Amino acid sequence: MKRLLLIFFNMVFLLLLAGCSSEQKIIDDIDLVTAVGYDYVDDNDVRGTVSIPVFKPDKSISTQTFSDVSRLLRENRAKLDSEADKPLFSGKLEVAFYGEELAKQGIYNFIDYLNREPSIGSRVLLAVVEGNAKDYITKKFQGTDTGLYYSSLLEKHIKKGTIPKTNLHQMMYMYFSKRGDPFLPLLKMKNGKVKINGIALFKGDKYVGKIPFKQTFAFKTLVENFDSGIFPIHNGQNSAIVENVRIKRHYKVDTSRSVPKISIDISIDGVVREHKGTINNQKVVQGLEKEMEKQITKDFKKIIATTQELNVDPIGLGEIIKIHDRSFNVNKYKAYYRDLPIKTNVKVKITEYGVTK
């Protein structure tokens, strides 16, 4: 009996070793795509560009890119695959970028293509880029892979409170929601550097407008709760940086009217990490709180005015109204959305003064 058990475990061990060897061989025989970008060429054709990391013997990393034009996405992928010396594999895809003109034409087919690819995870980060996506995907960053660089850039801004969480799964959910509209980060390249330039707003799958960068913190505040963030306060000669910003929202919906009325109560807690001057009494703290409330409320008004003018609902107010109104009708909501009364009430509390100088 012991002999049989010993033979059995030896066979299992050998199988595991064979499996590891097979997997290692597969990895060595493929190229891992970490970034992909699509650009509008004309009404028939699209340009697809991919980036793959190249690991050198000295342990440094460079990138290699492939780009081609075709009518169909899978045709494009086949062309790119034929140009590479190894098969392209998308299982490690980090980011997918869409050129500005392509986004205006509509991106559903492109996100649906990613969503239907079994090897691609739902956490792939998406973004609209000003100009052509090819320029962003072919850009090289010293010491790191292009896809990893962009995913780190986006994740950093998500964590610090600049932009909301956005990925393939969330984009698909927002697209199919009948009570809200999608949005994605908007990137810009200037002087060879890539930065967040705002939030791209969509009507269905078409890019129709944007929230500028200076309003992205307020936009994130309207669409999700978070417990980290950075907000600068400027009041004449008096400036401060508030960090560890924590956001909570509460909605009040008055459905007694033909057109509902919405009030959004937003509480913000934060810590002053830097202050130009000296915080020596509670009056100074209260002044900073009031100025932050004033700045964010001003941004809220601009954001709401922009979204209602574009007739898009990235905040998802239709979903909120539906929760409070059993007779909610999507078509009626879309008809009165532009005239929907929306009031925001902001309350800021600075819990610590931090370091001053």
Side-chain angles (χ1 to χ4, degrees), residues 108 111-112 115 126 167-177:
Y108 173 73
I111 59 174
D112 183 60
N115 191 52
L126 314 179
N167 55 37
L168 176 60
H169 170 75
Q170 290 166 315
M171 182 63 179
M172 293 298 290
Y173 174 81
M174 289 187 291
Y175 176 79
F176 285 107
S177 171

Coordinates of all heavy atoms in Angstrom, one line a residue, residues 108 111-112 115 126 167-177:
Y108 N -18.3 51.6 -29.2 CA -18.9 50.4 -28.7 C -18.2 49.2 -29.3 O -17.9 48.2 -28.5 CB -20.4 50.4 -28.9 CG -21.0 49.0 -28.5 CD1 -21.1 48.7 -27.2 CD2 -21.3 48.1 -29.5 CE1 -21.6 47.5 -26.8 CE2 -21.8 46.8 -29.1 CZ -21.9 46.5 -27.8 OH -22.4 45.3 -27.4
I111 N -14.9 48.4 -27.4 CA -15.0 47.9 -26.1 C -15.6 46.5 -26.0 O -15.3 45.7 -25.2 CB -15.7 48.9 -25.1 CG1 -17.1 49.2 -25.5 CG2 -14.8 50.2 -25.0 CD1 -17.9 50.0 -24.6
D112 N -16.6 46.3 -27.0 CA -17.3 45.0 -27.0 C -16.3 43.9 -27.5 O -16.3 42.8 -27.0 CB -18.4 45.1 -28.0 CG -19.2 43.8 -28.1 OD1 -19.7 43.3 -27.0 OD2 -19.3 43.2 -29.2
N115 N -14.3 43.1 -24.5 CA -15.1 42.4 -23.5 C -15.4 40.9 -23.9 O -15.5 40.0 -23.1 CB -16.5 43.1 -23.4 CG -17.3 42.6 -22.3 OD1 -16.8 42.5 -21.1 ND2 -18.5 42.2 -22.5
L126 N -9.3 52.0 -19.5 CA -9.6 52.6 -20.8 C -9.5 54.1 -20.7 O -9.7 54.7 -19.6 CB -11.1 52.3 -21.2 CG -11.6 50.9 -21.1 CD1 -13.0 50.8 -21.6 CD2 -10.7 49.9 -21.9
N167 N -12.8 51.2 -15.7 CA -12.2 50.1 -16.4 C -13.2 49.5 -17.4 O -14.3 50.0 -17.6 CB -11.7 49.1 -15.4 CG -12.8 48.6 -14.5 OD1 -13.9 48.4 -14.8 ND2 -12.4 48.3 -13.2
L168 N -12.8 48.4 -18.0 CA -13.7 47.8 -19.1 C -15.0 47.4 -18.5 O -16.1 47.6 -19.1 CB -12.9 46.6 -19.6 CG -13.7 45.7 -20.7 CD1 -14.1 46.6 -21.9 CD2 -12.8 44.5 -21.1
H169 N -15.0 46.7 -17.3 CA -16.2 46.3 -16.7 C -17.2 47.4 -16.4 O -18.4 47.4 -16.7 CB -15.9 45.5 -15.4 CG -17.1 45.2 -14.6 ND1 -18.0 44.2 -14.9 CD2 -17.6 45.8 -13.4 CE1 -19.0 44.2 -14.0 NE2 -18.8 45.1 -13.1
Q170 N -16.6 48.5 -15.8 CA -17.5 49.7 -15.5 C -18.0 50.4 -16.7 O -19.1 50.9 -16.8 CB -16.7 50.6 -14.6 CG -16.5 50.0 -13.2 CD -15.4 50.8 -12.4 OE1 -14.3 51.1 -13.0 NE2 -15.7 51.1 -11.2
M171 N -17.2 50.5 -17.8 CA -17.6 51.1 -19.0 C -18.7 50.3 -19.6 O -19.7 50.9 -20.1 CB -16.4 51.2 -20.0 CG -16.7 51.9 -21.3 SD -17.2 53.6 -21.1 CE -17.5 54.1 -22.8
M172 N -18.7 49.0 -19.7 CA -19.8 48.2 -20.2 C -21.0 48.4 -19.4 O -22.1 48.5 -19.9 CB -19.4 46.7 -20.3 CG -18.2 46.4 -21.2 SD -18.7 46.8 -23.0 CE -19.9 45.5 -23.3
Y173 N -20.9 48.4 -18.1 CA -22.1 48.6 -17.2 C -22.7 50.0 -17.5 O -23.9 50.1 -17.6 CB -21.7 48.5 -15.7 CG -22.8 48.8 -14.8 CD1 -23.7 47.9 -14.5 CD2 -22.9 50.1 -14.2 CE1 -24.8 48.2 -13.6 CE2 -23.9 50.4 -13.4 CZ -24.9 49.4 -13.1 OH -25.9 49.7 -12.2
M174 N -21.9 51.0 -17.5 CA -22.5 52.4 -17.8 C -23.1 52.5 -19.1 O -24.1 53.1 -19.3 CB -21.3 53.4 -17.6 CG -20.9 53.6 -16.2 SD -19.7 55.0 -16.1 CE -18.3 54.4 -16.9
Y175 N -22.5 51.8 -20.1 CA -23.1 51.9 -21.5 C -24.4 51.3 -21.5 O -25.3 51.8 -22.2 CB -22.1 51.2 -22.5 CG -22.7 51.1 -23.9 CD1 -22.6 52.2 -24.7 CD2 -23.3 50.0 -24.4 CE1 -23.1 52.2 -26.0 CE2 -23.8 49.9 -25.6 CZ -23.7 51.1 -26.4 OH -24.3 51.0 -27.7
F176 N -24.6 50.1 -20.9 CA -25.9 49.4 -21.0 C -26.9 50.0 -20.0 O -28.1 49.6 -20.0 CB -25.7 47.9 -20.8 CG -25.2 47.3 -22.0 CD1 -23.9 46.8 -22.0 CD2 -25.9 47.1 -23.1 CE1 -23.3 46.2 -23.2 CE2 -25.4 46.5 -24.3 CZ -24.1 46.1 -24.3
S177 N -26.5 50.8 -19.0 CA -27.4 51.4 -18.1 C -28.3 52.4 -18.8 O -27.8 53.3 -19.6 CB -26.7 52.1 -16.9 OG -27.6 52.9 -16.2

